Structure formats: structure tokens, C-alpha cells
Amino acid sequence: YTYSVFSHATNFQATSVGEARFCAKLNDELFDWMTVDANRNLKMLTAYDWNHGTVMNMKEARRLNSGLYRGRVEHKYDYAANQFEVRAWGWTSTAKRVGVWFINPAVEYLSGGPTKYELCAHRDATFGTNLTGPAPPTLLNYWRSSHYGGSVCAVGEGEVWAKVIGPFVIYCNSGDSGDGLWTNALAKASVESGKWPYEWVRGVDYPHKAERGTVNGRLVLRDTESSRLGWSRLLVGLTAPESGAGAGRPVEWQRDAKGYQFWVRGDSEGKFTISNIRPGTYSLRGIAEGVLGEFTLPNLTVGAGQTLELGTLEWRPIRYGKQVWEIGIPNRSGSEFFKGDDYFHWGWYLEYPKLFPTDVNFVIGKSDFRKDWFFEQVPHNEDAANTNAAGRGRGTTWSVAFGLPVAPRGKATLRLAICGVGTRSLAGELNGQPIGNVTGLVYNATVIRDGISGTWSEHDLAFDASLMRAGENVLKLTIPGGGLANGIIYDYLRLELDESSRGP
């Protein structure tokens, strides 16, 4: 078991924590198999393969010229994982049948809540041109990083602050097979979670079980535009009241590394129990698959040893009118779109123009977003000889065609939920007329780091509904030209119409 304590006293200057993680670099002659999850459970390349690879469009990516994966591009970000979901990950030896694993028994001390993706295991990416440098098997447990939108841990001058990172488990096991070792590590993770918080931790800011609180409740959906009867993948959590405020500015919970967060899965009826909560004042949050936005109940104080019964809470998602159409599933990732279940490979932005030579042309009521909507909208590479992705592409326009029985009036709102940002703007056009631009997008490197979910945000374009007509209408969404990874990963798109309104 290991943990660390960060603290800041009244006589300290303002500061911030940069990259912060635990790291283990293992014996390269022993460990050859890496396991992150069911999709990343494989024999790995060798240090020789990495050191003799060809550098691609970034220093962390190399095309292998030798070994088991010759011709494939190795990219350490292809092994990033959701930290809430993946609690045990590690390396094993196929020859010696031993394993080394990192296990998080809880995630209260990590950043970014239950949607945070982070590096956790890979072969160390030795930089430079040295062909004999070490590239050992590596394990990481990140609690503050700049990846996929990153997180913030800023402390003001004179502010009293402390955070205990961990304890987490460094677990070694042995057995007859690699999958058996992984199964054993997962079982160990379950046992350790049941022991949390550990009673043996003393002398630091670490409340024991009797000193922590519990919150019970039930979240129900009140949405006139939805016919859903139960919840799918409901997540309920407690976060800092100002979502990690520090150094004079608030930080939304997705990017908070300063405070503690407590998240659980609710059941299909919306019932939830959040236990082992450190005493304090929080905001209650809720997110769920199939529901756009989030539920928030601020200023919830949890006392030591207290069980707080919240009863039934109503979530009334924001609506700007009647739903006309939708594309995708609001789930804070692009996983449901084409190739979104196979995203963790370098260079999809090179493959896009081959898969969609005329770009995406989606027809409401006819097209299937699982097949006809690519998981990332990226500049269109027009150089067929470009195989290292270092070049630039032209602007890319995707279209959405939809029919209306009569010409509408009032105000329409295009709602765009975005979870990957590699560009600064997105332009909207309807039937040849501009409806606005999404600007001020905050880069989160999710596209270039081969991700499927980074910091999530919603952007609404309101426009005069008279731009639409009876019959066919065509919406166009355009990203500017630029680097081939300078694109967008959508979570979800929806058009709403309020005919009682006079306009935007």
C-alpha cells in the first residue's frame, strides 16, 4: 500500500500542482504482457521494436519496423482508460507467470470524476534518436495531468489545504495464466474496495469509516420530450461546491484535481447510496446515458458519521422546445458512432477520407449513426502519400438532411454536445444561410491522443426557425482546415423548435 500527502500552509505562496502521478518501471527482461481492459490485453512490443521505430507526427508515436507488430504505429495514448471503470491494470510475465498491478480501491483522490480518461500503462516512450535507450514496461497512477482536457490544482497564497492521494495497492501475484492473473487482480480490487477507507491510516487528514458520512436518495426524470421509463448508466456524485475553486477562479468538476469527489452508479430506478464521504459541503451531481446535461443540487453539507436522506429528487433537463431530431446518444463520449468502439488506434484521421471520401452526409430517418456518422470530424487529408499524419487537410463539411411537413416559425436551437476538441471553431449553416459559429472551444487533445472522451461541453446555436421550410432541409457543420487531428468528437446533436417564441 502506498500514499502521499500534499499540503499547503498559511505562510506558503500561491502555487499549483503540475503533472502528478505514481510511476513504476518494471524489469524489461521479465514483463512482456500488458493488461488495461478487455480491449487492451495483449503481448507488447519490445524495447528494441520501439527504439528502432520511425517517429510519426508526434514524439510519442512510432511506426514499428520490427517485431510482432511490424508496420503498426505504437502510441502510448492508445492505452489510456477511464479511471472510474478501470480499477486494476498491470503487466505480467508469460514465462514466469507473475504479475504486477496497480489497484485503486477508491477514486475519491483522483481528478476529473467518473468520465476522466488517463494514461495508465504502456511501454515507456524514450524520446530522441538514441536507438539503445531503455523503454521499460511502465505503470502509472495519475491524479493530476494535462491529458484529455487535464485538471487543475491551484492553491491561493496563505490558503490552508491538504490532500491525501491514496492509499492504493501495488499488487503482485502468480498463477497458471495471464488471464487468471488478471481475474485474480480484479477480485483483489473488489476486496480492497470493500475495506475502504483503511482503518490503519494514521496521522494525516484521513477520516475513518465512523467519521465519514452517507447520502441516500432517488433521482427521477421529468422530461416531457422523453418516453424513457428507467435510468441507463446513471452516475451520481458529490463534488466541491464551486467545482474545485482555487486561486480566485472556479474549476468545473471535470477538471478538478484539488478536491475530493465521491461518485457511484445509481440503479435503473434512480436510487443511489454514496458512502464513505469526507465531512464537508458539496454539490450533488447526476449524469446519465440518454439525458443531455447534468443534474445539480448545490450546498449539501455532510457531517461526520451522518446519514443524509434526500428522498426523491426531480431532474428536469433543459429543453428549448419540441425535439425535431437527434443524432447519437448523450453519454459524454463518441463511442456509439462509427468506429467509436475501436477508437484506440493511432491515425484514424488518416483513414477518415478513405472511409468517407465525400464526407458525412446524414439523412434523418434513413441513416444510422452507428454506421453513417464517423466518431470524429477531422480535416480531410487530400495527400494520399501522407502516411505519417504530419500534414494538413482542407476544411470538412458534414451535412444533416431532414424533412418537415410544414414551414415552421419561432425559434430553433441546435444543441451540440462535444467531448473532443482539436479546433477552435465550428460553423453552422442551414439551407445556405449561416446560423452561427461555435467559438472559444477549449482544446483537449482528445483527437490527437486517440481518445473517445475528453472534457465535455454543450454549445447551442439559436436561430430563426423561418430559415427552415416544408420539405427537405439541409444543415451543414464545417470545421476549418488545419492539422489532420484538428477536429471535433461529438457526443450528441439535437434540434429543438419553439414555435411560441418570436425568434432567437
Side-chain angles (χ1 to χ4, degrees):
Y1 300 88
T2 187
Y3 63 95
S4 62
V5 182
F6 289 74
S7 61
H8 190 271
T10 56
N11 61 332
F12 286 7
Q13 297 179 350
T15 189
S16 62
V17 179
E19 297 285 311
R21 72 278 197 190
F22 295 82
C23 177
K25 296 189 177 182
L26 307 178
N27 186 337
D28 190 36
E29 296 180 0
L30 182 64
F31 295 99
D32 61 343
W33 193 283
M34 191 182 76
T35 303
V36 174
D37 55 24
N39 292 317
R40 278 80 59 89
N41 179 27
L42 71 167
K43 185 167 185 171
M44 286 295 284
L45 71 155
T46 67
Y48 179 93
D49 296 337
W50 170 258
N51 285 325
H52 291 79
T54 301
V55 178
M56 306 305 283
N57 59 328
M58 63 195 78
K59 59 187 179 181
E60 301 96 339
R62 294 187 184 182
R63 190 179 302 280
L64 303 181
N65 298 313
S66 61
L68 184 62
Y69 302 111
R70 181 177 180 179
R72 191 183 79 176
V73 175
E74 175 70 6
H75 192 202
K76 69 179 183 180
Y77 292 102
D78 290 344
Y79 308 108
N82 180 299
Q83 292 183 295
F84 183 83
E85 303 289 351
V86 174
R87 300 294 183 89
W89 63 100
W91 284 80
T92 56
S93 167
T94 55
K96 300 296 184 180
R97 295 179 294 179
V98 295
V100 177
W101 309 85
F102 278 0
I103 293 174
N104 276 321
V107 291
E108 65 179 53
Y109 46 83
L110 303 181
S111 64
T115 60
K116 184 70 171 73
Y117 279 71
E118 194 47 79
L119 287 170
C120 57
H122 57 86
R123 182 169 285 285
D124 187 31
T126 303
F127 303 145
T129 58
N130 180 11
L131 298 183
T132 60
T138 300
L139 282 174
L140 298 168
N141 199 7
Y142 257 101
W143 72 269
R144 189 274 151 194
S145 83
S146 57
H147 305 132
Y148 304 103
S151 56
V152 176
C153 185
V155 190
E157 182 177 359
E159 180 181 357
V160 177
W161 169 79
K163 188 172 184 180
V164 179
I165 310 301
F168 76 96
V169 185
I170 304 173
Y171 181 56
C172 302
N173 59 359
S174 61
D176 292 332
S177 69
D179 281 346
L181 294 172
W182 181 30
T183 299
N184 177 260
L186 293 174
K188 178 67 172 176
S190 180
V191 169
E192 294 299 323
S193 293
K195 295 178 181 179
W196 186 269
Y198 298 120
E199 290 298 315
W200 49 264
V201 179
R202 294 285 189 273
V204 295
D205 177 24
Y206 187 85
H208 295 144
K209 198 172 189 69
E211 302 167 311
R212 295 183 177 227
T214 300
V215 172
N216 296 315
R218 183 188 179 202
L219 199 57
V220 298
L221 184 66
R222 297 285 185 254
D223 185 356
T224 57
E225 290 291 305
S226 174
S227 59
R228 65 183 301 148
L229 300 177
W231 292 102
S232 176
R233 299 182 64 77
L234 172 65
L235 284 160
V236 184
L238 294 172
T239 73
E242 293 296 328
S243 298
R249 55 177 183 167
V251 178
E252 199 260 349
W253 62 263
Q254 295 179 92
R255 300 186 63 239
D256 178 23
K258 183 180 180 182
Y260 298 96
Q261 299 190 33
F262 306 87
W263 289 87
V264 297
R265 286 264 178 222
D267 68 16
S268 61
E269 296 180 348
K271 296 177 182 177
F272 61 89
T273 295
I274 308 174
S275 57
N276 299 320
I277 306 163
R278 286 170 166 264
T281 300
Y282 301 94
S283 288
L284 183 75
R285 316 270 179 183
I287 57 176
E289 183 174 271
V291 183
L292 181 60
E294 73 176 53
F295 170 86
T296 303
L297 178 66
N299 301 319
L300 201 65
T301 300
V302 181
Q306 178 186 20
T307 296
L308 197 59
E309 301 288 349
L310 298 181
T312 298
L313 305 170
E314 293 187 347
W315 182 358
R316 298 181 182 273
I318 295 172
R319 291 277 184 173
Y320 297 116
K322 182 179 178 180
Q323 182 170 308
V324 180
W325 52 256
E326 63 180 347
I327 299 174
I329 302 170
N331 57 10
R332 301 198 170 222
S333 85
S335 58
E336 70 272 26
F337 299 123
F338 185 59
K339 295 299 182 181
D341 60 348
D342 194 33
Y343 66 90
F344 42 87
H345 305 290
W346 176 92
W348 273 120
Y349 30 86
L350 277 176
E351 299 301 312
Y352 164 69
K354 303 173 189 176
L355 295 167
F356 293 87
T358 60
D359 295 317
V360 168
N361 296 282
F362 195 88
V363 180
I364 299 296
K366 180 179 178 182
S367 299
D368 181 350
F369 61 75
R370 294 174 179 84
K371 298 185 299 182
D372 302 315
W373 191 276
F374 196 53
F375 80 95
E376 55 187 17
Q377 182 179 3
V378 290
H380 193 111
N381 176 37
E382 296 181 298
D383 180 7
N386 179 10
T387 60
N388 69 358
R392 298 173 63 83
R394 65 164 169 81
T396 299
T397 297
W398 287 7
S399 69
V400 179
F402 60 98
L404 294 175
V406 296
R409 63 180 186 277
K411 182 180 76 170
T413 304
L414 177 64
R415 304 186 69 178
L416 303 170
I418 295 174
C419 58
V421 179
T423 186
R424 293 192 179 276
S425 64
L426 175 68
E429 176 186 298
L430 183 67
N431 296 330
Q433 298 297 316
I435 60 171
N437 297 314
V438 175
T439 58
L441 291 168
V442 179
Y443 181 78
N444 61 24
T446 303
V447 178
I448 200 165
R449 286 180 172 146
D450 303 340
I452 198 66
S453 177
T455 45
W456 181 95
S457 58
E458 182 186 336
H459 306 268
D460 301 326
L461 295 179
F463 59 93
D464 194 325
S466 66
L467 291 177
M468 296 185 286
R469 57 198 175 211
E472 184 181 73
N473 296 266
V474 178
L475 168 72
K476 293 186 177 182
L477 298 169
T478 301
I479 61 167
L484 298 182
N486 292 7
I488 289 286
I489 298 178
Y490 297 97
D491 165 32
Y492 177 69
L493 303 88
R494 185 163 78 204
L495 180 65
E496 296 178 356
L497 174 63
D498 180 5
E499 292 198 277
S500 66
S501 175
R502 293 185 178 182

